[in-house]
Amino acid sequence: MKKVLSINGSEVARIEGNKYYICVGDYGYECMEQVDKEAFKNYLLRFSWVPNGWDQELREQYNNMLEEVI
């Protein structure tokens, strides 16, 4: 199953199967890099503002991904 976190229309994190990918580069459109579970979790935690944001869909995407790695 594939889970994606997109912010402002750009994919920034993805879980696909048992593999974890994060966006690298300054613009969010560069490329996805495979990382281990711990690095993925730390990357997600950088978006700590998401759970307090107004976008319900984004909050749900974020929480679903975070549950997967914590």
Side-chain angles (χ1 to χ4, degrees):
M1 188 167 129
K2 181 177 172 180
K3 293 182 180 181
V4 174
L5 179 65
S6 296
I7 297 177
N8 293 330
S10 297
E11 183 176 356
V12 296
R14 178 185 339 138
I15 299 173
E16 196 165 1
N18 291 327
K19 296 180 181 177
Y20 304 92
Y21 301 90
I22 60 173
C23 184
V24 294
D26 296 334
Y27 301 105
Y29 298 103
E30 300 292 323
C31 67
M32 300 299 279
E33 178 180 286
Q34 186 175 349
V35 295
D36 64 19
K37 189 175 185 177
E38 187 66 25
F40 187 82
K41 180 181 87 170
N42 291 335
Y43 180 78
L44 281 182
L45 292 173
R46 291 176 29 192
F47 298 100
S48 61
W49 55 269
V50 171
N52 299 318
W54 61 269
D55 188 332
Q56 181 178 350
E57 183 177 350
L58 180 58
R59 288 193 316 258
E60 289 173 2
Q61 288 176 359
Y62 180 80
N63 289 331
N64 286 337
M65 286 192 138
L66 205 52
E67 286 176 8
E68 183 96 14
V69 294
I70 290 187

